[in-house]
Amino acid sequence: MSWSVLLLLVALMIAPLLLGITALVLLLRWRHSRSRWVLLALLVPQSLIVALLLWPGGLRVVEFSREILLLLVTLIAWLTLLLTRWQRSHAAPLHALVTGWLLFIVFCATFWFDPGHQSTMSWTRHEKQMQHNLALLEQGARTQLDRLPDNSARELFYRAAARDYPEQTLRYFIRRGLSPLEKTEYGFTPLSKAIESHNAVAVKLFLAVLTPAEIQALSFDYDPLRDLRLDPPEGETRQRQFYNTMALLLKARPDWIHPRDRSSPSYMTTALFTGAGPTADFLLAYLPAPEGLWRLMLLALNDDTPALMAALRQQPSQLEQTISDGAGRSLFLMAWMIKYAPQQTRTALLNSKLIIWDNFRRPEGNNQQGEMSNTLIDEARGNWRFRDESPSVLQQVLISAIAQGVTLSPTQMLAVFRYEDEPETLNMMLSAGLACGPLMSASAQLLTDSAQDSKVRRWIGDACLHR
């Protein structure tokens, strides 16, 4: 950002203060005729005009409009004062006042008739009218709604499709002869809006009024079930609406269970890979039950720990196998468990002694010394899904890994607690059996001119001194 832009922004933000200071200065100089003329004949009336422009509508819809006008009035007032210095002291400074008013009129007209401002004003009026029409719809004011032109009714239908209106309210548009497939001026339809909003009531009604031929001919620029690839909505009510909407779509078009792009992963694959258990359970009614590693992931998401542990004890090496989402991302099954499995299942795995920790070591990306990093610990460091657990997922994984003899590189050893505020994780690692020798050697990597690293070096020294 250039200095000129920065100075302009600062000036605009302090414009109200500048105007207040200007008025105060003029009041304090009341005994001077020039100040009285500028205050009463220019500053006060122009401020009132600005207030009328900004309230109840007008320029306030334009960004920085209030600050611009207030700064403008302030600058014109000071310019007028400057011009009056060359006029007789006791006469009305007519030339200066006329100049000030001409400038004010020109600048205000420029703002008011600016195409961007006019467009914003027009859109604001349109939005207010649409909000008024939605209020009429909620009130059941059919007589007034009947007087709306067709283009306004179509837009109102589109907006109503996203709201939690009862079916009877939405039927008004059907009785008026509007179709849920009619496009607005932007090319969207009430049906697409209802699907996007997960409005099960609207989707059910719209599909009911369409003919079988119209339903089979439905076509979108995207997969109608694409939101199944996202995390399900929060809250029981919203989640129920979401899955009800998806179920209605699949009842009308069972073929939509398969993505349009046949190279895309299935919805079940995406749901399991991203830990969306409710979505995976929903899809079981439409897709074959997952097998192999995917079955183990579903067991974990459903917290079926006994069945999962029984399958893993028969073949522990499954934890070291890789799963892929079909879109370029992959994880070890055990890394996935750390990321998505509920606490009870994750704890059972960490305590099972089925994990061969050093089998998950991989070369560190930017390390010039050829150090190896444990991918399971890296995954635990980035875990946000269970961030409220105490001890943290990282601490749980470290305690289990160290107790079972994991090999940690100096870089990774420090990374897990280097930027913490307290030595809680360090103390847990030492309690789990981490030796002080490797830890003291690793501390040599800490920077000498960093306050945080100095604190960490002190933690290590104090902890190991008492062992």
Side-chain angles (χ1 to χ4, degrees), residues 296-360:
L296 300 182
M297 295 157 69
L298 185 60
L299 291 174
L301 291 175
N302 288 328
D303 218 359
D304 191 350
T305 307
L308 173 66
M309 297 307 298
L312 288 173
R313 286 193 180 94
Q314 290 181 355
Q315 193 178 352
S317 62
Q318 292 178 105
L319 293 171
E320 300 170 21
Q321 294 181 26
T322 301
I323 52 174
S324 172
D325 70 343
R329 295 178 298 174
S330 60
L331 280 173
F332 289 117
L333 179 62
M334 186 59 215
W336 182 93
M337 293 290 177
I338 290 172
K339 188 170 186 175
Y340 294 112
Q343 184 175 18
Q344 178 182 337
T345 301
R346 188 185 338 110
T347 301
L349 280 166
L350 292 175
N351 295 335
S352 66
K353 298 189 179 354
L354 296 177
I355 307 168
I356 303 176
W357 289 91
D358 284 357
N359 286 358
F360 295 94

Side-chain angles (χ1 to χ4, degrees), residues 19-20 22 24 27 55 77 91 98-99 126 142 155 173 205 222 225-226 236 258 265-266 273 316 343 370-371 379 430:
L19 183 61
T22 301
L24 181 61
L27 283 171
W55 183 264
V98 169
T99 302
H126 176 73
R142 301 288 187 261
E155 184 173 354
F173 300 100
L205 171 63
Y222 53 87
L225 273 63
R226 61 182 179 178
E236 184 178 345
H258 304 293
S266 71
F273 191 87
Q343 184 175 18
E371 291 185 351
E379 189 59 58
L430 290 169

Side-chain angles (χ1 to χ4, degrees), residues 100-250:
W101 275 103
L102 284 175
L103 286 173
F104 181 75
I105 292 170
V106 169
F107 281 119
C108 282
T110 302
F111 278 113
W112 187 265
F113 294 107
D114 177 71
H117 167 62
Q118 290 295 316
S119 175
T120 304
M121 290 274 288
S122 176
W123 176 252
T124 301
R125 287 192 296 268
H126 176 73
E127 281 296 303
K128 286 183 178 179
Q129 183 60 51
M130 290 309 302
Q131 293 304 317
H132 175 69
N133 293 342
L134 286 168
L136 292 178
L137 183 63
E138 292 176 5
Q139 297 163 12
R142 301 288 187 261
T143 303
Q144 293 170 273
L145 290 172
D146 289 341
R147 290 198 290 266
L148 292 176
D150 286 344
N151 60 335
S152 295
R154 276 193 290 271
E155 184 173 354
L156 185 61
F157 190 16
Y158 174 77
R159 295 193 182 210
R163 302 203 170 202
D164 293 329
Y165 290 142
E167 180 181 317
Q168 192 60 33
T169 300
L170 296 172
R171 278 193 178 277
Y172 163 77
F173 300 100
I174 307 300
R175 288 195 297 270
R176 180 164 173 158
L178 298 178
S179 167
L181 299 181
E182 288 195 51
K183 293 184 177 181
T184 64
E185 60 179 309
Y186 301 107
F188 303 111
T189 67
L191 176 59
S192 66
K193 187 64 173 178
I195 293 173
E196 178 188 327
S197 306
H198 311 144
N199 189 341
V201 173
V203 170
K204 182 179 180 180
L205 171 63
F206 296 166
L207 292 174
V209 300
L210 295 178
T211 65
E214 287 175 321
I215 292 175
Q216 290 305 310
L218 287 175
S219 178
F220 299 92
D221 296 332
Y222 53 87
D223 285 323
L225 273 63
R226 61 182 179 178
D227 286 353
L228 286 173
R229 298 197 187 279
L230 306 177
D231 284 337
E234 295 184 2
E236 184 178 345
T237 301
R238 292 184 60 207
Q239 205 168 104
R240 183 170 59 251
Q241 281 269 49
F242 173 72
Y243 290 120
N244 285 346
T245 301
M246 299 296 113
L248 288 166
L249 294 175
L250 285 170

Side-chain angles (χ1 to χ4, degrees), residues 64 111 420:
F64 290 125
F111 278 113
E420 293 187 350

